[in-house]
Amino acid sequence: MESLKDSVINEIIKVIGKNNVITDFEGEIPYENDASYISGEKPLLIALPENRHEISKILKICNENKINVTVRSGGTSLTGSSVMTEPGIIINTMNLDKIIELNLSSRYVVCEPGLRLDDLNNYLKKYNFFYPPDPASSKASTVGGTLSTNAGGLRAVKYGATKEWVLGLEFVLPNGEIINTGEYTLKRSAGYDLTALIVGSEGTFGVISKAILKIEPLPEKTGKIIGFFKNIYDVGNAMSSVKNAGITPIMAEFLDFYTLNSIRDKLKLEIPEYTKYMLMLDIDSTEESLEKKLLDVKKILSKFSGDIIIIRDEKTMDEIYMARKGAYSSLLKERENKNQIIVIGDVIVPADQLPDAMKEIEEKVGENKLKVTLFGHIGDGNIHANIFADSNETGLKKVAKFQMDIAKIAIKHRGSVSAEHGIGTEKNELLYEEYRDKDSLYTLELMKEIKKVFDPRNIMNRGKIFYEHN
Amino acid sequence: MNTINKIEEITDKCIKCGFCESVCPTLPAFKYNSIYGARGRVILAGYAVNHMDEPLKLDDSFYSCLDCFACENACPVGINAGVVSELLKESITEQKFNEKNPLAEMMKDAILKYENPLGLKDQCSQWSDGIEFDKSDTIILTGDMYQLMPYTRFINKARKYIDSAIVNSFSKIISKNINLITLSRHFYDKNLRIKMDYELKNIVYLLKKSGLKFDYLGQEEPYPGMFLYDLGYINEFKEYSKNIYKFLKSKNVKTIIAIDPHTYDLLKNKYPLFIRDFDINIVYYTDLINLNLKKSDEKITVQEPCHMVLHNNSYRAMDILNNISDVKLPDRNGKTTMCCGGPDELLYPEISYSISRKRYEDLKKTADKIVTVCPLCYNNLSYDDNVIDFSEFVRNLIIND
Ligand code: SF4
Ligand code: SF4
């Protein structure tokens, strides 16, 4: 008799053809991992649909047979969102990679989930437009994946995270129903905002098959200001002073000395010896007023640092931007051996709390006797603690403890345990802690109820987001 | 360090970020089946060397790699999935893993017997009939690349209609009776043959016009063994390249002018790995061109060859073109250039077609006229008559010619 597994595989092959499924042992191996350190189950099958109807039919089959489904595109999750916690199938949406429509006057672009963010922005650049969310993985990450994790990135200080840029969705529910949410318009006030609900849901509700994204004209002119600092308080105060002066940079990044060292060759800057932290601000303005604005910011920063550099040359600015974007990757080169992993933490606090939170994190680093480097998006209070650890059980336990320590610091300072990487399986206990501390566990119960409405048979990305005590 | 250790050392560094697969041309051509892209290849190779006792089927994943090296520039830890593929192919030919690839075996057998992957050594010098060369210790070496294109194009057209299982059985039969391969001399694309012969003559013309004195070995010209290397037959290549080197030395060759990027890369970078004290000077023909050229008023785009730009950091052809014409490059250019799909032509024709079509469309969006600097690129991208070899484009611009 045909097993359930075989019958599901055969049904899916019937729907999308054998060339669009992967069932061979070798072919399934890469899907046990994403960009996180978390390994998942080997899938029963990987489906590579080419349109929403195929996605719908696959989901219907899985729903009827209660088969776990994980959606994946660029496979760049840092929290294990796109690997399977229990056996099932993976739907890979990479073949849906088209730009369907561009409307400059109404400020939107319609595209498919498998489109990579850099490809989208390279396309928009020709029209002098851009789509602002820019996670460090934008080379490989996709519209579908970044919507699912509500990704942020370097420009979030000015433009916010992904959620702000999604106008509407075409979405396939687990029962195969294809729905449309949101509008093509820049405003909406038409019932519950299901678009906002789906963004950040990490594939636990269904599959995004199309997205209407808001776009912006490229800033007319930008300039970069870099400052070197002896301590984090000066960095924090410098940043607050800039903001208090009514200036919102389009990018505001800080890096600690270790991180700075790992990208030193790419930055090609003279770094003063006393440096413990570097602050990097991108300021935009009109051609005429940029110089003045840069000088204003320089004046403010000079109160806190003796070494401030202004950079106007676009090539140099690009090189520095790419170096910062590649900071996490550059740190990876510093691994001592193949068994060492670097886990990237991702907490957020209100921007004014950042120096205090950083100080406490630094203390925890010492207490836990770990090698940790720090960088992040100072403009919005997002701190990435990069934890070097052994990949064995002891190492992972240490990581989990430290992640919990910094999560508690973030919570204490009115922040959150996850700023832009999502929850996946890595942070579900931290999410629980966040709501436990707020004495609002009912919020999580409400989230679970919402999940049940979308996915009553619980087939979508099982084991993600919610912490199970057992 | 043996091949397996080398693979392990590289793949251990991978953090599975997927940056490499965003530029890998084979991944979308295989509908995003991961093991046919850079990240999947690195992960699969890492798995294979740690599970040597498992019967894994590996050949298609690694033989379909174009060796374009686009992935290397995207990788934050500097891994080159192309090199991983080379090492894996080598391990396959050493029978450390599963069955060898029959088509690759057939070509290896042909090269070892006939010094040509299709047994066509005598056909490959016909283009030079009637051309006078100088007595010189500098020679041009064609690597048979231009000459083989008309044959591979023909085979390819036929292959599209034949199932790969049949191709494999057929290859096994030919391997056993390798002289059958010489029948391929009857099957070629006639127009392309005329074109390729013409381009070879153009190259000679440009070099002569630049005042260079050089010889050509004609019927004796050796095939440098590119396919042996590319298909992973490194042990065979070691011996083969030594013999070729010995032969070239016996002819007192001091400088070789390579006229295609693949042969240039092989002689310049691979031969010295296997031949101690290798002392033949290898130059690329575009580096020697010194001509009085007029400016073209046409807007052109260029397919920059991976083996020059990505393997050798060499942009000389681009410099010449920039000086004589209005060059517009597609989004993927320079260090992010995209392969034409040519290296997959014989083993994976549909994949090669999908890649070349995509690249052709990207180039066409940039400018109507496409200039190629490699015979493989020409063969793969010439979907219309407005695709032109560098040598022909430049020749048309010589002043007072
Ligand atoms: S880019 Fe490098 S590190 Fe990232 S997946 Fe590819 S080979 Fe691995
Ligand atoms: S060398 Fe080219 S084809 Fe091979 S893995 Fe790298 S990018 Fe892909």
Side-chain angles (χ1 to χ4, degrees):
Chain A
M1 222 185 79
E2 210 180 27
S3 69
L4 173 65
K5 176 185 151 192
D6 291 341
S7 78
V8 168
I9 291 176
N10 288 335
E11 274 188 67
I12 293 177
I13 291 174
K14 246 187 250 159
V15 168
I16 60 172
K18 71 172 177 359
N19 288 339
N20 284 30
V21 297
I22 304 168
T23 50
D24 57 314
F25 179 85
E26 296 81 1
E28 290 174 348
I29 290 170
Y31 295 90
E32 288 172 40
N33 290 92
D34 52 22
S36 71
Y37 61 97
I38 297 161
S39 293
E41 291 282 334
K42 203 156 194 286
L44 305 175
L45 162 154
I46 296 105
L48 307 164
E50 295 190 21
N51 56 55
R52 62 181 190 273
H53 301 294
E54 290 184 350
I55 297 175
S56 159
K57 286 177 192 161
I58 298 164
L59 284 179
K60 226 173 176 169
I61 295 166
C62 294
N63 203 38
E64 273 158 20
N65 294 286
K66 278 198 147 194
I67 300 280
N68 181 30
V69 178
T70 293
V71 193
R72 176 177 173 123
S73 46
T76 58
S77 168
L78 292 166
T79 60
S81 285
S82 45
V83 293
M84 314 201 79
T85 48
E86 55 182 277
I89 75 147
I90 284 182
I91 296 182
N92 183 332
T93 59
M94 286 306 292
N95 283 309
L96 284 84
D97 61 355
K98 283 165 219 56
I99 294 169
I100 298 165
E101 188 191 340
L102 173 68
N103 190 323
L104 298 181
S105 60
S106 295
R107 298 279 192 269
Y108 68 77
V109 62
V110 183
C111 54
E112 293 187 315
L115 180 69
R116 299 192 198 268
L117 289 194
D118 276 4
D119 291 341
L120 172 60
N121 269 325
N122 284 337
Y123 168 81
L124 293 172
K125 200 173 168 187
K126 294 191 186 111
Y127 300 90
N128 268 325
F129 272 75
F130 78 126
Y131 168 70
D134 69 333
S137 59
S138 61
K139 194 185 289 226
S141 55
T142 60
V143 167
T146 51
L147 260 62
S148 296
T149 48
N150 189 22
L154 277 62
R155 295 191 280 240
V157 55
K158 174 140 183 171
Y159 298 102
T162 299
K163 196 163 278 189
E164 322 288 333
W165 297 90
V166 188
L167 301 176
L169 295 171
E170 180 187 87
F171 194 66
V172 192
L173 293 169
N175 63 6
E177 201 64 47
I178 301 171
I179 61 164
N180 287 290
T181 73
E183 330 287 338
Y184 288 83
T185 52
L186 298 182
K187 290 194 282 191
R188 55 183 185 254
S189 176
Y192 295 135
D193 192 347
L194 295 186
T195 308
L197 190 59
I198 291 168
V199 175
S201 62
E202 298 187 38
T204 59
F205 290 167
V207 183
I208 296 167
S209 53
K210 199 162 78 180
I212 309 161
L213 306 174
K214 192 162 73 168
I215 53 172
E216 272 275 301
L218 279 166
E220 198 176 311
K221 270 275 163 228
T222 56
K224 203 177 267 302
I225 303 194
I226 287 177
F228 301 95
F229 298 84
K230 288 185 188 132
N231 63 64
I232 191 66
Y233 284 102
D234 286 344
V235 185
N237 290 332
M239 187 67 226
S240 303
S241 308
V242 172
K243 279 184 154 180
N244 290 341
I247 299 165
T248 306
I250 48 173
M251 196 180 98
E253 299 290 304
F254 77 93
L255 301 98
D256 74 358
F257 179 74
Y258 295 108
T259 313
L260 197 52
N261 231 2
S262 73
I263 58 168
R264 194 182 271 265
D265 55 329
K266 293 185 197 133
L267 284 175
K268 298 179 199 142
L269 295 172
E270 285 276 332
I271 299 168
E273 261 188 35
Y274 62 79
T275 303
K276 284 250 165 58
Y277 287 95
M278 182 171 109
L279 175 67
M280 217 186 247
L281 304 180
D282 271 18
I283 305 290
D284 68 329
S285 189
T286 56
E287 174 83 65
E288 302 77 42
S289 59
L290 181 65
E291 194 61 39
K292 182 182 173 303
K293 206 165 166 187
L294 287 170
L295 290 173
D296 288 348
V297 175
K298 185 176 178 181
K299 204 167 153 195
I300 298 171
L301 296 187
S302 301
K303 288 182 201 144
F304 306 93
S305 162
D307 296 279
I308 308 288
I309 313 169
I310 292 183
I311 297 160
R312 296 286 308 267
D313 168 54
E314 278 186 23
K315 192 169 163 275
T316 315
M317 287 203 300
D318 245 22
E319 281 170 6
I320 295 173
Y321 173 71
M322 292 315 290
R324 162 60 194 93
K325 233 177 160 180
Y328 169 62
S329 312
S330 298
L331 284 169
L332 290 159
K333 285 194 194 138
E334 316 233 323
R335 287 188 305 167
E336 282 154 25
N337 57 59
K338 67 171 185 174
N339 296 321
Q340 192 171 53
I341 51 171
I342 302 181
V343 180
I344 178 164
D346 171 42
V347 295
I348 186 160
V349 293
D352 70 315
Q353 301 282 310
L354 192 126
D356 285 337
M358 285 279 292
K359 191 90 207 109
E360 288 169 39
I361 289 173
E362 278 176 353
E363 280 162 22
K364 282 288 168 202
V365 172
E367 259 175 49
N368 284 279
K369 297 200 176 64
L370 279 166
K371 178 175 171 187
V372 176
T373 71
L374 300 163
F375 64 79
H377 317 302
I378 191 164
D380 56 26
N382 187 180
I383 306 163
H384 293 304
N386 304 280
I387 314 152
F388 289 67
D390 288 337
S391 56
N392 58 24
E393 213 188 319
T394 327
L396 292 180
K397 269 193 185 147
K398 274 189 174 178
V399 171
K401 179 176 176 305
F402 184 72
Q403 291 268 51
M404 182 57 90
D405 284 347
I406 59 170
K408 284 183 175 165
I409 294 171
I411 295 165
K412 183 177 131 194
H413 289 277
R414 297 184 163 180
S416 174
V417 301
S418 180
E420 55 181 7
H421 295 170
I423 300 297
T425 49
E426 191 201 29
K427 291 193 179 156
N428 42 22
E429 195 178 349
L430 307 187
L431 182 71
Y432 180 85
E433 176 59 23
E434 181 172 328
Y435 283 98
R436 194 198 58 73
D437 187 85
K438 286 181 189 162
D439 196 17
S440 185
L441 285 174
Y442 193 70
T443 307
L444 287 178
E445 292 309 312
L446 211 52
M447 286 189 199
K448 285 182 191 166
E449 290 304 314
I450 294 170
K451 151 94 175 156
K452 275 188 206 154
V453 174
F454 277 88
D455 180 22
R457 290 168 77 85
N458 188 27
I459 65 159
M460 297 308 303
N461 219 2
R462 280 180 205 153
K464 307 291 157 59
I465 302 182
F466 302 110
Y467 176 55
E468 304 297 343
H469 292 274
N470 56 358
Chain B
M1 202 189 282
N2 70 23
T3 334
I4 299 299
N5 297 135
K6 280 189 210 160
I7 297 170
E8 206 177 0
E9 190 183 65
I10 302 173
T11 55
D12 274 349
K13 290 192 206 129
C14 174
I15 45 132
K16 305 182 178 80
C17 65
F19 286 15
C20 53
E21 65 182 26
S22 68
V23 296
C24 177
T26 52
L27 184 67
F30 276 99
K31 295 188 176 180
Y32 292 97
N33 184 337
S34 183
I35 58 167
Y36 300 101
R39 169 165 57 176
R41 289 187 179 111
V42 175
I43 294 175
L44 183 59
Y47 182 92
V49 293
N50 283 298
H51 299 81
M52 297 285 290
D53 50 338
E54 288 181 21
L56 298 167
K57 171 141 176 44
L58 301 170
D59 57 340
D60 287 333
S61 172
F62 299 100
Y63 275 106
S64 59
C65 168
L66 300 158
D67 283 335
C68 65
F69 292 6
C71 46
E72 188 183 17
N73 285 303
C75 176
V77 291
I79 292 174
N80 184 332
V83 168
V84 171
S85 298
E86 284 180 3
L87 291 166
L88 233 299
K89 284 184 276 185
E90 186 180 343
S91 311
I92 290 172
T93 64
E94 288 168 353
Q95 291 204 292
K96 294 201 166 105
F97 295 108
N98 63 343
E99 210 185 324
K100 298 178 186 180
N101 183 297
L103 197 55
E105 277 287 290
M106 180 189 83
M107 282 198 273
K108 181 254 311 179
D109 292 338
I111 294 167
L112 295 183
K113 171 127 192 219
Y114 294 108
E115 268 194 24
N116 185 287
L118 295 175
L120 298 173
K121 189 170 166 82
D122 52 343
Q123 310 284 305
C124 286
S125 58
Q126 286 173 357
W127 66 273
S128 66
D129 289 352
I131 303 178
E132 293 274 316
F133 292 94
D134 304 292
K135 281 275 144 278
S136 170
D137 53 17
T138 295
I139 61 161
I140 57 160
L141 198 118
T142 66
D144 296 346
M145 287 287 283
Y146 278 90
Q147 300 93 311
L148 286 173
M149 290 303 118
Y151 297 89
T152 55
R153 183 177 278 187
F154 188 94
I155 294 169
N156 242 340
K157 275 189 195 149
R159 270 218 54 186
K160 279 191 191 129
Y161 304 100
I162 309 170
D163 187 74
S164 61
I166 299 174
V167 173
N168 284 347
S169 313
F170 198 62
S171 305
K172 283 181 190 165
I173 294 169
I174 296 183
S175 268
K176 283 199 189 114
N177 311 276
I178 197 65
N179 55 328
L180 287 176
I181 203 159
T182 58
L183 290 175
S184 60
R185 73 188 51 229
H186 303 297
F187 306 106
Y188 59 86
D189 182 305
K190 297 204 169 50
N191 289 335
L192 187 60
R193 165 104 189 232
I194 294 166
K195 188 85 184 161
M196 291 291 99
D197 283 2
Y198 178 60
E199 307 306 2
L200 284 161
K201 287 175 187 156
N202 279 331
I203 293 171
V204 169
Y205 185 83
L206 295 182
L207 290 169
K208 286 189 172 207
K209 194 89 186 162
S210 299
L212 290 143
K213 300 253 177 280
F214 57 94
D215 204 350
Y216 172 57
L217 297 176
Q219 290 260 345
E220 283 190 294
E221 179 185 51
Y223 173 71
M226 192 191 80
F227 271 112
L228 280 182
Y229 186 87
D230 285 356
L231 297 171
Y233 294 96
I234 303 303
N235 283 330
E236 288 81 354
F237 179 76
K238 270 181 206 161
E239 278 313 301
Y240 185 90
S241 57
K242 272 181 201 142
N243 289 334
I244 300 295
Y245 184 65
K246 214 185 283 169
F247 170 76
L248 292 167
K249 291 303 272 184
S250 76
K251 292 282 171 189
N252 204 24
V253 172
K254 296 216 165 52
T255 296
I256 289 176
I257 305 171
I259 63 166
D260 77 88
H262 293 256
T263 304
Y264 171 76
D265 193 26
L266 188 80
L267 294 169
K268 176 106 187 147
N269 300 316
K270 308 298 185 262
Y271 265 60
L273 298 178
F274 302 111
I275 294 158
R276 201 181 304 153
D277 304 327
F278 181 86
D279 70 347
I280 297 178
N281 180 30
I282 311 295
V283 287
Y284 194 54
Y285 90 93
T286 56
D287 291 346
L288 303 172
I289 289 174
N290 184 8
L291 293 163
N292 217 352
L293 299 167
K294 59 184 170 232
K295 230 176 143 67
S296 156
D297 43 21
E298 256 181 315
K299 188 167 109 177
I300 62 160
T301 188
V302 186
Q303 169 64 0
E304 297 166 278
C306 311
H307 281 261
M308 296 313 284
V309 170
L310 299 174
H311 290 232
N312 284 294
N313 222 2
S314 167
Y315 293 89
R316 169 72 178 148
M318 282 307 299
D319 292 344
I320 297 174
L321 291 170
N322 274 321
N323 277 332
I324 55 174
S325 51
D326 177 12
V327 181
K328 292 270 172 296
L329 292 176
D331 284 349
R332 289 190 62 173
N333 66 68
K335 282 290 175 196
T336 62
T337 189
M338 178 180 158
C339 178
C340 67
D344 270 0
E345 210 191 357
L346 277 173
L347 267 60
Y348 305 93
E350 296 87 2
I351 297 306
S352 175
Y353 173 75
S354 160
I355 297 167
S356 66
R357 199 68 220 181
K358 161 98 183 60
R359 185 57 175 164
Y360 169 77
E361 278 156 19
D362 287 349
L363 289 159
K364 270 282 153 180
K365 272 185 232 152
T366 319
D368 197 39
K369 190 170 213 122
I370 302 171
V371 176
T372 58
V373 199
C374 163
L376 229 72
C377 297
Y378 178 83
N379 184 30
N380 273 270
L381 297 170
S382 48
Y383 288 106
D384 69 48
D385 292 340
N386 230 353
V387 180
I388 184 168
D389 189 74
F390 174 88
S391 60
E392 190 179 340
F393 183 74
V394 171
R395 180 174 182 164
N396 292 340
L397 295 172
I398 298 176
I399 294 173
N400 301 328
D401 194 30

